[in-house]
């Protein structure tokens, strides 16, 4: 009869050769091939469990053969959501069930199709917020660029050579850069609106007078027509010709307003440049003087869709200048710009009625301590007290509308609160985005003309600095259906990173259907890896500070891995690599960036690839947990059925390992137990895990010479007894594992009547070192 030690040595002397021998066994290799091909076709847990070959293969791999019959229990395990600490698998003490659940994507976190993950949503909202905060910074950069380039302009044509300068000017004056008339605009810029012979004077100043007169006549005709139609309706004698004429007059009014608006823009713009009629600049002159430069800048700032700090500063100056000219209350209230500054300063809604303001001013002027005035809201009282108006609304004799100190207080308050309404709108937009975005059924729904869809879409476009009308619907569809891993896709060929980031924020496939999130790692993989990292770093140090540090690491990994677009992004981040290594119990120098890149760029179907030359299954698990294509980009989707490459590699490795241990057990139960312990020991976090596993418990009790009868005692008493000899931390040391294995092999055979290994020395059946012989002698003496 062969000894346990001899059997153990047979299987461990050359572990790689043993592994390859078992893997090459005709039956085992055939089962592996069947599993590898068939698992890709499985979509549901029922399909998986109905296929006995698949099901039995997986159960054996995870050491659960004895539970194969309990399909109800196993189904609940497989469907467990491992992100939920209260899920079925997580409530079971035996870690084999968690390992089985983690190997598949049957849980509710698996391959869920969603238009946006929570991380994508939060990232987009963060981008939106940052884009709003950066508006003022962008304005300052545009100012800087405009200053630099305008100082070099010598001819009107130079403006059109710099689209950024042209658009800066056009934005301030409300001119569409995509539809403007070049010749008209050029002549306007080369005109003096005060010169009666200039182009802008003849084409716009003179015509504007005509259009305004015609507009006045049209409004008068409209009023007369409406009065006549109202009267005729009373007698049921409406003339259809009058209705037709009213429609034409309304059209004329709209057209005249357009002409006048266009004229006003061109006239105002022409006044801010010093080009001569031929487009040149006079000697010793510049394209713009300081006042003109300031005017164009202010126009640009005021044209921005949001109230920025730059706008607020311009409004502050405007308020300070205008307050010196205010003669009565109406001047203040009718100037909507002044009124807005005033109300913002005192934190009063802009919807506050003008009539209520006048009432409050009148009450204060009449009796500042009276009940009527004191009944006003405190904010209104503070506002009214800061101005100098009498009962009739005129500025009090000998004073200005506001004392200098009150002007300062008002403008300071405005600078503090100028964007409070925008902040409220942002909060409302974010809330609406969170509420409506998940309701999109597909890309067509997202791109529809429904108001909710337009607002949600506008929010996303704003976040990435894309104008509402910058892209056609067809172009937007091309963006969202682009394969970001394909260099020839619409987004990648555009070279516009804004479009790439927009596409990345949502999950639509090539047909516009909602699909699984595009990510370097799936949610299931993130859950598995981060949980493994947490366990690895806290299992022997559960102090609050350590847990907080690990929580920070996990948060960092989740946030940063979501930003990964290419393999290069990953290998440049050493912190992510270190996290990955620790989660798989690898040392930092065992997963260097260049090694990781070669690993993840390997062809798993090529037996000679770098990946397939690795003997440590942990590297194959790392390869399988990522989702990079042959270009090193994150793939849009990865259809591996219910098990990805990481789970497949782990399952097949476990199956072969179990087969090795089974074969060893045919000749020696002791050898099988030793191999099993050697495999499981590094993963043990607590002695309770040993006690929960009968095989591990038998091994340790034998190795430590603890009587088998103690197994009937309470878990706490068994744990206390074991702790006299060993701690869970000791099992992280290879030398400690070897020591326990050596003790176990010797004592197991003695306790079970196997040949005495020391006698075997004299029979020539095996060979031991002098150190091993001395150890055996000591064990026998015990």
């Amino acid at each position: 009869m062969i000894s346990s030690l001899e059997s153990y040595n047979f299987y461990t002397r050359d572990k790689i050769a043993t592994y390859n021998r078992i893997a090459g066994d005709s039956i085992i290799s055939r089962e592996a091939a069947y599993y590898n091909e068939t698992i890709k076709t499985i979509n549901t847990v029922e399909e998986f469990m109905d296929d006995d070959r698949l099901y039995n293969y997986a159960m054996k791999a995870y050491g659960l053969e004895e539970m194969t019959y309990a399909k109800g229990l196993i189904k609940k395990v497989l469907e467990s959501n491992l992100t939920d600490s209260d899920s079925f698998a997580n409530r079971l003490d035996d870690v084999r069930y968690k390992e089985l659940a983690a190997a598949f994507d049957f849980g509710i976190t698996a391959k869920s199709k969603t238009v946006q993950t929570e991380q994508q949503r939060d990232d987009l909202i963060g981008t939106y917020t940052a884009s709003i905060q950066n508006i003022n910074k962008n304005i300052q950069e545009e100012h800087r660029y405009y200053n630099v380039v305008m100082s070099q302009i010598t001819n009107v044509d130079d403006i059109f050579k710099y689209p950024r300068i042209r658009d800066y000017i056009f934005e301030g004056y409300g001119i569409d850069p995509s539809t403007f008339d070049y010749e008209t605009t050029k002549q306007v810029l080369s005109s003096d609106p005060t010169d009666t012979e200039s182009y802008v004077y003849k084409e716009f100043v003179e015509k504007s007078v005509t259009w305004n007169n015609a507009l006045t006549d049209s409004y008068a005709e409209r009023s007369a027509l409406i009065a006549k139609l109202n009267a005729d309706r009373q007698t049921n004698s409406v003339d259809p010709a009058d209705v037709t004429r009213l429609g034409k007059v309304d059209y004329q009014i709209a057209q005249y307003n357009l002409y006048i608006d266009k004229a006003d823009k061109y006239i105002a713009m022409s006044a801010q440049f010093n080009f001569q009629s031929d487009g040149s600049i006079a000697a010793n002159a510049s394209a713009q003087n300081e006042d003109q430069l300031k005017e164009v800048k202010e126009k640009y700032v005021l044209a921005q869709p949001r109230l920025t700090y730059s706008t607020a500063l311009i409004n502050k100056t405007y308020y300070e200048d205008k307050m010196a000219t205010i003669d009565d209350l109406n001047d203040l209230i009718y100037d909507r710009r002044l009124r807005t500054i005033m109300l913002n300063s005192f934190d009063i809604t802009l919807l506050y009625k003008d009539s209520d303001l006048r009432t409050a001013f009148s009450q204060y002027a009449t009796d500042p301590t009276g009940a009527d005035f004191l009944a006003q809201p405190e904010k209104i009282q503070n506002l009214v007290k800061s101005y100098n108006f009498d009962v009739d609304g005129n500025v009090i004799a000998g004073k200005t509308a506001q004392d200098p100190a009150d002007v300062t207080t008002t403008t300071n308050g405005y600078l503090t609160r100028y964007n409070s309404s925008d902040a409220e709108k942002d909060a409302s937009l974010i809330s609406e985005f969170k509420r409506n975005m998940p309701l999109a059924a597909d890309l067509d729904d997202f791109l529809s003309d429904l108001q909710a869809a337009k607002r949600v879409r506008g929010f996303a476009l704003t976040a990435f600095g894309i104008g509402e009308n910058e892209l056609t619907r067809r172009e937007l569809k091309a963006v969202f259906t682009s394969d970001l891993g394909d260099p020839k896709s619409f987004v990648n060929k555009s070279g516009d990173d804004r479009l790439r980031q927009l596409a990345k924020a949502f999950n639509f496939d090539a047909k516009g259907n909602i699909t699984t999130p595009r990510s370097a790692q799936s949610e299931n993989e993130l859950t598995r890896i981060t949980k493994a990292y947490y366990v690895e770093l806290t299992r022997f140090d559960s102090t609050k500070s350590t847990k907080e540090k690990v929580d920070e690491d996990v948060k960092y990994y989740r946030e940063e891995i979501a930003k990964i677009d290419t393999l290069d992004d990953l290998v440049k981040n050493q912190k992510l690599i270190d996290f990955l290594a620790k989660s798989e119990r690898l040392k930092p120098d065992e997963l260097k960036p260049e090694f990781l890149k070669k690993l993840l760029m390997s062809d798993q179907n090529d037996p000679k690839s770098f990946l397939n030359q690795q003997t440590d299954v942990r590297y194959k698990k790392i390869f399988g947990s990522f989702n990079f294509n042959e270009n090193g980009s994150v793939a849009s989707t990865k259809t591996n059925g219910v098990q990805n490459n990481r789970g497949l590699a782990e399952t097949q490795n476990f199956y072969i390992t179990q087969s090795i241990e089974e074969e060893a057990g045919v000749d020696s139960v002791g050898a099988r137990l030793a191999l099993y312990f050697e495999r499981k020991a590094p993963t043990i976090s607590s002695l309770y895990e040993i006690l929960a596993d009968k095989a591990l418990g038998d091994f340790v009790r034998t190795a430590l010479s603890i009587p088998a009868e103690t197994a009937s005692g309470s878990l706490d008493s068994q744990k206390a007894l074991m702790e006299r000899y060993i701690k869970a931390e000791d099992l992280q040391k290879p030398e400690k594992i070897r020591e326990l294995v050596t003790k176990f092999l010797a004592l197991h055979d003695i306790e079970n009547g196997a040949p005495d290994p020391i006698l075997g020395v004299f029979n020539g059946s095996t060979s031991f070192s002098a150190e091993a012989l001395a150890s055996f002698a000591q064990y026998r003496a015990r």
Side-chain angles (χ1 to χ4, degrees):
M1 180 178 177
I2 189 172
S3 71
S4 296
L5 183 59
E6 287 178 299
S7 180
Y8 172 82
N9 282 339
F10 173 76
Y11 286 97
T12 59
R13 187 175 294 112
D14 188 339
K15 291 184 178 181
I16 295 174
T18 298
Y19 188 93
N20 291 336
R21 176 176 64 80
I22 297 296
D25 177 85
S26 59
I27 296 176
I28 291 175
S29 61
R30 185 166 60 248
E31 290 303 302
Y34 178 82
Y35 184 89
N36 187 41
E37 289 304 314
T38 310
I39 195 66
K40 297 175 184 177
T41 68
I42 299 298
N43 294 306
T44 68
V45 69
E46 288 80 12
E47 290 176 0
F48 173 72
M49 299 186 76
D50 285 344
D51 188 315
D52 287 340
R53 287 180 73 180
L54 282 181
Y55 177 59
N56 292 338
Y57 187 98
M59 292 296 283
K60 175 179 176 178
Y62 290 92
L64 292 167
E65 279 183 289
E66 76 280 4
M67 296 301 294
T68 301
Y69 73 93
K71 286 193 172 184
L73 180 145
I74 298 302
K75 185 173 186 288
K76 292 172 69 175
V77 168
L78 290 170
E79 291 179 333
S80 293
N81 174 10
L82 295 181
T83 63
D84 178 5
S85 60
D86 197 41
S87 65
F88 186 75
N90 282 326
R91 294 203 309 269
L92 298 176
D93 293 329
D94 194 328
V95 296
R96 292 177 298 174
Y97 293 110
K98 299 183 186 69
E99 291 175 344
L100 177 66
F104 297 91
D105 287 339
F106 290 118
I108 63 171
T109 62
K111 300 178 72 63
S112 54
K113 295 180 179 182
T114 176
V115 67
Q116 272 195 320
T117 64
E118 186 175 334
Q119 184 69 50
Q120 285 174 307
R121 183 201 66 191
D122 291 346
D123 286 346
L124 190 145
I125 291 172
T127 301
Y128 175 85
T129 303
S131 71
I132 297 304
Q133 294 171 344
N134 286 334
I135 287 177
N136 199 68
K137 181 180 178 180
N138 294 337
I139 288 174
Q140 297 307 316
E141 172 56 24
E142 291 303 304
H143 283 344
R144 184 200 66 77
Y145 181 81
Y146 187 79
N147 281 340
V148 171
V149 176
M150 281 305 298
S151 66
Q152 302 169 15
I153 296 293
T154 59
N155 190 286
V156 69
D157 283 327
D158 293 341
I159 287 178
F160 299 98
K161 293 177 183 177
Y162 295 94
R164 191 171 165 187
I165 289 296
R166 178 203 67 194
D167 292 350
Y168 181 97
I169 297 168
F170 282 8
E171 188 166 349
Y173 290 93
I175 298 172
D176 188 343
S178 64
T179 60
F180 81 99
D181 181 273
Y182 167 74
E183 284 298 331
T184 298
T185 309
K186 177 180 177 180
Q187 292 196 65
V188 166
L189 292 172
S190 305
S191 296
D192 179 355
T194 63
D195 179 358
T196 57
E197 298 300 316
S198 70
Y199 174 85
V200 73
Y201 190 90
K202 289 184 174 295
E203 288 296 317
F204 295 106
V205 175
E206 286 183 350
K207 290 182 179 180
S208 184
V209 174
T210 302
W211 292 329
N212 272 294
N213 290 334
L215 182 63
T216 299
D217 292 342
S218 294
Y219 273 125
E221 184 180 358
R222 183 177 188 277
S223 295
L225 282 168
I226 289 174
K228 183 175 184 299
L229 286 168
N230 287 337
D232 290 346
R233 286 189 181 98
Q234 299 297 320
T235 60
N236 293 320
S237 59
V238 172
D239 185 347
D242 289 339
V243 176
T244 301
R245 180 57 188 166
L246 180 61
K248 291 181 178 179
V249 171
D250 283 340
Y251 176 77
Q252 287 175 350
I253 289 172
Q255 289 301 110
Y256 286 137
N257 277 320
L258 286 175
Y259 296 153
I260 293 167
D261 180 61
K262 181 178 180 180
D264 289 346
K265 290 175 181 177
Y266 280 139
I267 293 167
M269 184 172 68
S270 68
Q272 305 312 319
F273 295 88
N274 301 320
F275 297 112
Q276 300 180 107
S277 58
D278 63 356
S280 64
I281 298 174
N284 300 320
S286 59
Q288 287 184 298
N289 59 36
E290 287 299 320
D291 289 339
Q292 291 169 324
L293 195 64
K294 178 183 177 184
E295 179 68 18
V296 171
K297 285 183 179 179
E298 288 192 2
K299 283 285 187 182
Y300 176 79
V301 171
L302 294 172
Q304 298 307 305
R306 291 182 65 94
L307 197 60
T308 66
Y309 189 67
S310 295
T311 314
L313 289 175
I314 291 172
N315 285 339
K316 172 180 178 291
T317 301
Y318 178 83
Y319 185 88
E320 291 169 341
D321 292 342
K322 290 291 289 184
M323 285 309 296
T325 68
I326 295 297
D327 292 325
D328 61 41
L329 183 58
N330 284 336
D331 291 342
L332 177 64
I333 292 178
Y334 287 153
D335 187 321
R336 309 315 282 180
R337 197 169 168 189
L338 291 179
R339 181 184 185 279
T340 298
I341 295 169
M342 173 181 69
L343 294 179
N344 271 339
S345 174
F346 289 91
D347 195 21
I348 298 168
T349 174
L350 300 182
L351 299 178
Y352 202 81
K353 293 180 181 179
D354 291 349
S355 58
D356 291 339
L357 275 174
R358 289 192 182 89
T359 298
F361 275 107
S362 175
Q363 289 171 345
Y364 178 67
T366 301
D367 184 1
T369 60
D372 289 341
F373 177 69
L374 296 179
Q376 292 284 350
E378 185 178 359
K379 293 177 181 178
I380 296 296
Q381 291 183 41
N382 292 335
L383 182 152
V384 170
K385 289 177 182 177
S386 70
Y387 292 87
N388 301 315
F389 294 112
D390 61 21
V391 175
D392 297 322
N394 298 312
V395 174
I396 297 172
K399 289 182 172 289
T400 55
Q402 259 191 318
D403 295 335
D406 287 326
V407 170
T408 299
T409 299
T410 302
T411 54
N412 286 344
Y414 172 71
L415 291 179
T416 300
R417 302 187 183 94
Y418 72 91
N419 63 348
S420 57
S421 60
D422 281 337
E424 291 175 3
K425 290 177 184 176
D426 285 339
S428 177
L429 282 172
I430 289 171
S431 177
E432 183 178 35
F433 182 82
K434 288 181 176 180
R435 183 174 64 254
N436 290 331
M437 189 62 243
L439 302 180
D442 53 29
L443 183 55
D444 287 336
D445 194 16
F446 180 61
L447 297 178
S448 73
D449 287 328
L450 294 172
Q451 286 303 310
K454 290 171 73 172
R455 287 194 292 270
V456 165
R457 189 165 65 246
F459 181 89
L461 293 176
T462 300
F464 296 106
I466 301 171
E468 182 180 357
N469 300 313
E470 187 174 341
L471 298 172
T472 64
R473 183 170 301 185
R474 183 177 179 181
E475 288 172 327
L476 279 173
K477 193 162 188 175
V479 168
F480 288 114
T481 57
S482 286
D483 180 352
L484 299 186
D486 180 3
K488 296 181 181 179
S489 68
F490 177 83
V491 162
N492 288 327
K493 287 177 70 175
S494 75
D496 190 334
D497 190 58
R498 298 176 306 161
L499 303 188
R500 182 177 180 82
Q501 296 307 318
L502 176 63
K504 187 181 174 184
F506 299 90
N507 305 314
F508 296 108
D509 65 16
K511 295 181 179 180
N513 297 316
I514 295 173
T515 186
T516 52
R518 176 188 175 277
S519 176
Q521 287 182 310
S522 69
E523 180 59 32
N524 270 11
E525 284 304 297
L526 285 173
T527 298
R528 183 190 66 81
I529 287 172
T530 54
K531 189 169 184 177
Y533 180 88
Y534 188 92
V535 169
E536 191 64 25
L537 271 71
T538 62
R539 55 178 170 163
F540 304 125
D541 180 3
S542 58
T543 59
K544 181 180 179 181
S545 59
T546 297
K547 286 184 176 181
E548 288 175 349
K549 174 63 170 61
V550 172
D551 284 339
E552 289 176 6
D553 292 344
V554 167
K555 182 174 182 292
Y556 175 85
Y557 186 86
R558 277 188 165 275
E559 290 177 349
E560 292 304 311
I561 208 72
K563 301 174 185 177
I564 296 296
D565 277 335
T566 67
L567 179 53
D568 286 335
D569 294 338
L570 175 65
V571 298
K572 288 175 184 176
N573 192 323
Q574 188 61 50
K575 194 171 179 180
L576 291 183
I577 297 175
D578 289 345
F579 187 103
L580 191 62
K582 290 174 183 176
S583 72
E584 293 292 349
R585 293 182 290 106
L586 289 166
K587 296 177 182 177
D589 60 355
E590 293 178 306
L591 195 64
K592 293 181 179 179
E594 59 273 17
F595 179 93
L596 180 60
K597 186 168 185 178
K598 289 176 67 177
L599 185 73
L600 295 181
M601 285 299 289
S602 293
D603 180 357
Q604 66 176 329
N605 298 316
D606 179 2
K608 297 181 179 180
S609 69
F610 185 75
L611 166 71
N612 290 320
Q613 296 306 307
Q614 306 308 311
T615 57
D616 190 332
V617 71
R618 289 176 293 183
Y619 294 125
K620 292 184 179 181
K621 288 168 60 180
I622 289 173
F623 170 88
S625 74
F626 282 94
N627 185 25
F628 293 109
N629 62 19
E630 64 276 7
N631 299 315
S633 298
V634 173
S636 294
T637 56
K638 199 165 189 177
T639 54
N640 282 340
V642 295
Q643 189 172 51
N644 66 10
N645 287 328
R646 189 273 311 163
L648 182 62
E650 182 178 67
T651 301
Q652 295 195 326
N653 175 71
F654 281 173
Y655 185 89
I656 293 170
T657 302
Q658 289 282 357
S659 297
I660 292 172
E661 293 169 9
E662 273 187 6
E663 184 182 280
V666 172
D667 292 326
S668 170
V669 174
R672 181 176 184 177
L673 284 171
L675 291 170
Y676 179 68
F677 174 79
E678 191 174 53
R679 171 164 64 90
K680 299 291 288 185
T683 69
I684 294 171
S685 302
S686 165
L687 295 183
Y688 284 120
E689 292 177 27
I690 294 175
L691 297 172
D693 186 316
K694 184 179 184 305
L696 291 177
D698 289 346
F699 176 95
V700 173
R701 277 188 289 270
T702 299
L704 300 179
S705 295
I706 297 174
E709 293 76 15
T710 62
S712 61
S714 69
L715 287 178
D716 289 339
S717 63
Q718 290 184 67
K719 178 175 179 287
L721 182 58
M722 279 189 183
E723 282 181 331
R724 297 180 187 178
Y725 308 101
I726 190 174
K727 292 182 173 59
E729 296 93 317
D730 295 337
L731 301 181
Q732 305 309 300
K733 304 171 185 176
E735 62 274 14
K736 187 64 177 179
I737 293 175
R738 285 195 298 270
E739 177 188 337
L740 288 169
V741 167
T742 302
K743 289 181 179 179
F744 170 82
L745 290 169
L747 295 173
H748 177 272
D749 282 356
I750 293 172
E751 291 179 2
N752 291 278
D756 190 325
I758 291 187
L759 293 177
V761 174
F762 300 103
N763 295 331
S765 61
T766 188
S767 60
F768 299 100
S769 66
E771 182 180 353
L773 289 171
S775 295
F776 291 144
Q778 285 184 333
Y779 301 153
R780 297 192 70 179
R782 287 176 63 183

